[in-house]
């Protein structure tokens, strides 16, 4: 109960202080270029997995929504996990990482898949040994980090690369910046419905999500074997709490929800209405909300390039 009160207060305070609960993605995100270049190399390097078959990019397609379009991902030896791969695009703007919010930032998150037996199935010791055999890595790390190749430095560089993966300039962001013609009437009505029916009470902020943990099945039970946040805290109040996902680029990241069991955006929106909102919406309103959600697709991130082919100049 106290959680609900805190949550309502939070939203009220938020709406008092800002005209819009959603803010646009900055056009020029800050990041350390050289570290990001090293991070890019690591992100695409299969040596981060035990049998050299899987890289971060195997489950996060940067140029196609930042996820892998599968219900659940395949790791080494064809092993499968239990959760849907969320997007890495704009992940820098999430308050926490993972469906259960169990990683506090991107560097902390990147440890996870390297060690996860059904993902990359490796560990820092093994990865460091492999990277130390490569002159380029040894040089690059020692130029950027005092103590050269280490677990923390590997994840720091990867996080820096992920900071480059933003998708500015969606039509909705243009609208927020004052270009009212960026949305059609239907899309605008969809945004209005999104606010009026309270979708925005959970999906808000720069990522239109990513800043809260909330229960799936507030109004009607959602059937899942995954207890979400409870698995981390063992607090029964946390059962079925998941990170409210970002809705940016949502048309590109099917299937949906932590279990990846919902194939279309229409089904996802209808489930949200049923489980989280509890109103009966007209078909046209649902259609408009979907049209609005499709205006949240921004520019595909340009994968940074090293124009001099070297990190050390
Ligand atoms: C085998 C597939 C797979 C591989 C390989 C993989 N990921 Fe993921 N990634 C996932 C899945 C599945 C999740 C969600 C897991 C969860 O929440 O329990 C996830 C979550 C994330 C998140 C959190 C996003 C959010 O919104 O919570 C980030 C960031 C991320 N991965 C980056 C990486 C990086 C960096 C690497 C490489 C070091 C990597 N991933 C390797 C499948 C994969
Ligand atoms: C009480 C909070 C809450 C409200 C209200 C809410 N959502 Fe959600 N939404 C969530 C949570 C939590 C998830 C993730 C649930 C999961 O995967 O188990 C989610 C997931 C989604 C997804 C799937 C995203 C993905 O990447 O898988 C979409 C689409 C979505 N919501 C749209 C909406 C729309 C549209 C509305 C209004 C009709 C709405 N939501 C209202 C909390 C909320």
């Amino acid at each position: 109960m106290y959680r609900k009160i805190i949550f309502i207060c939070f939203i009220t305070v938020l709406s008092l202080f800002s005209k819009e609960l959603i803010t646009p993605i900055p056009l020029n995100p800050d990041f350390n270029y050289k570290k990001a270049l090293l991070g890019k190399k690591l992100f695409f390097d299969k040596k981060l997995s035990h049998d050299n078959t899987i890289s971060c990019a195997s489950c996060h397609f940067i140029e196609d929504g930042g996820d892998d379009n599968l219900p659940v991902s395949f790791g080494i030896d064809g092993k499968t996990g239990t959760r849907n791969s969320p997007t890495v695009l704009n992940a820098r703007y999430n308050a926490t990482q993972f469906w259960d919010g169990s990683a506090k930032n991107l560097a902390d998150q990147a440890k996870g898949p390297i060690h996860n037996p059904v993902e990359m199935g490796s560990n820092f010791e093994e990865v460091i040994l492999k990277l130390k055999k490569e002159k380029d890595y040894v040089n690059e790390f020692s130029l950027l980090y005092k103590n050269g190749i280490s677990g923390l430095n590997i994840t720091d560089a990867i996080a820096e690369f992920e900071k480059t993966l933003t998708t500015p300039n969606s039509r909705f962001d243009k609208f927020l910046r004052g270009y009212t013609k960026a949305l059609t009437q239907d899309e605008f009505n969809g945004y209005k419905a999104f606010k009026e029916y309270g979708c925005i009470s959970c999906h808000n902020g720069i990522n239109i999500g990513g800043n809260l943990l909330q229960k799936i099945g507030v109004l009607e039970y959602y059937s899942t074997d995954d207890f979400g946040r409870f698995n981390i805290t063992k607090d029964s109040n946390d059962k079925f709490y998941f990170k409210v996902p970002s809705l940016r680029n949502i048309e590109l990241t099917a299937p949906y929800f932590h279990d990846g069991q919902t194939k279309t955006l229409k089904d996802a929106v209808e489930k949200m209405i049923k489980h989280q909102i509890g109103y009966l919406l007209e078909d046209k309103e649902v259609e408009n909300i979907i049209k609005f959600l499709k205006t949240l697709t921004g520019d595909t991130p340009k994968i940074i390039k090293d124009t001099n082919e070297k990190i050390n100049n």
Side-chain angles (χ1 to χ4, degrees):
M1 184 61 197
Y2 73 97
R3 273 163 190 270
K4 275 201 186 120
I5 297 170
I6 294 174
F7 179 60
I8 291 164
C9 294
F10 168 76
I11 295 302
T12 318
V13 171
L14 212 65
S15 48
L16 284 176
F17 285 97
S18 68
K19 206 167 129 269
E20 298 287 353
L21 286 172
I22 302 172
T23 48
I25 290 184
L27 299 174
N28 294 304
D30 61 303
F31 55 88
N32 176 313
Y33 198 83
K34 289 184 177 181
K35 284 186 179 172
L37 275 180
L38 174 58
K40 173 182 124 184
K41 206 160 131 177
L42 293 164
F43 191 93
F44 287 95
D45 195 335
K46 295 181 175 171
K47 284 190 286 297
L48 264 58
S49 65
H50 176 64
D51 59 3
N52 305 319
T53 57
I54 304 271
S55 74
C56 307
S58 307
C59 304
H60 298 286
F61 308 157
I62 291 169
E63 285 165 322
D64 185 15
D67 65 337
D68 61 6
N69 306 326
L70 294 167
V72 295
S73 312
F74 287 97
I76 58 166
D77 297 328
K79 289 181 184 153
T80 51
T82 54
R83 288 183 181 160
N84 179 251
S85 161
T87 182
V88 288
L89 308 186
N90 307 308
R92 66 175 292 171
Y93 300 121
N94 291 333
T96 56
Q97 307 296 336
F98 285 133
W99 280 105
D100 50 22
S102 57
K104 59 181 187 303
N105 56 40
L106 288 173
D108 185 30
Q109 187 285 327
K111 269 192 313 216
I114 295 174
H115 293 83
N116 189 330
V118 299
E119 291 185 348
M120 301 168 110
S122 186
N123 55 64
F124 283 145
E125 233 176 23
E126 186 181 71
V127 172
I128 292 167
L129 272 179
K130 286 192 230 171
L131 299 188
K132 279 192 170 162
K133 288 192 186 132
E134 293 194 26
K135 241 175 54 205
D136 281 355
Y137 270 129
V138 174
N139 287 340
E140 287 158 10
F141 271 97
S142 66
L143 279 161
L144 297 170
Y145 298 97
K146 270 195 209 119
N147 57 339
I149 303 182
S150 77
L152 280 180
N153 297 344
I154 290 170
T155 54
D156 181 75
I158 292 176
E160 211 55 37
F161 169 61
E162 290 179 303
K163 285 196 199 168
T164 70
L165 305 176
T166 62
T167 68
N169 278 321
S170 66
R171 282 198 293 120
F172 184 64
D173 279 5
K174 289 181 183 160
F175 169 83
L176 288 178
R177 291 203 161 92
Y179 181 55
T180 44
K181 284 189 196 148
L183 300 192
T184 65
Q185 191 60 45
D186 278 359
E187 290 161 351
F188 178 74
N189 290 343
Y191 175 43
K192 257 177 55 188
F194 188 83
K195 290 199 280 194
E196 282 166 14
Y197 288 110
C199 309
I200 202 163
S201 63
C202 292
H203 297 276
N204 57 58
I206 186 167
N207 253 358
I208 320 175
N211 53 2
L212 295 169
L213 291 158
Q214 268 298 317
K215 188 175 176 176
I216 174 88
V218 179
L219 285 141
E220 190 173 319
Y221 174 71
Y222 177 93
S223 172
T224 173
D225 299 336
D226 190 335
F227 287 149
R229 183 75 185 158
F230 171 83
N231 296 338
I232 307 295
T233 64
K234 304 295 177 211
D235 175 347
S236 60
N237 291 315
D238 286 337
K239 263 193 191 156
F240 306 119
Y241 270 69
F242 290 90
K243 191 174 71 188
V244 177
S246 169
L247 297 182
R248 291 198 175 272
N249 308 296
I250 192 71
E251 67 174 323
L252 306 177
T253 59
Y256 301 105
F257 299 125
H258 68 271
D259 52 14
Q261 293 302 308
T262 302
K263 291 201 182 79
T264 68
L265 188 52
K266 184 163 189 280
D267 286 348
V269 170
E270 280 169 353
K271 284 188 186 169
M272 277 285 124
I273 293 169
K274 181 169 160 210
H275 296 280
Q276 309 296 81
I277 300 285
Y279 290 106
L280 221 55
L281 267 68
E282 284 171 22
D283 289 353
K284 182 68 187 165
E285 288 179 304
V286 179
E287 258 171 48
N288 286 347
I289 291 178
I290 295 165
K291 284 183 182 165
F292 157 65
L293 293 177
K294 289 184 176 173
T295 71
L296 301 175
T297 305
D299 293 344
T300 303
K302 285 188 199 72
I303 299 177
I304 50 163
K305 286 202 175 77
D306 183 357
T307 41
N308 297 310
E309 291 302 320
K310 269 189 225 121
I311 289 173
N312 57 349
N313 64 29

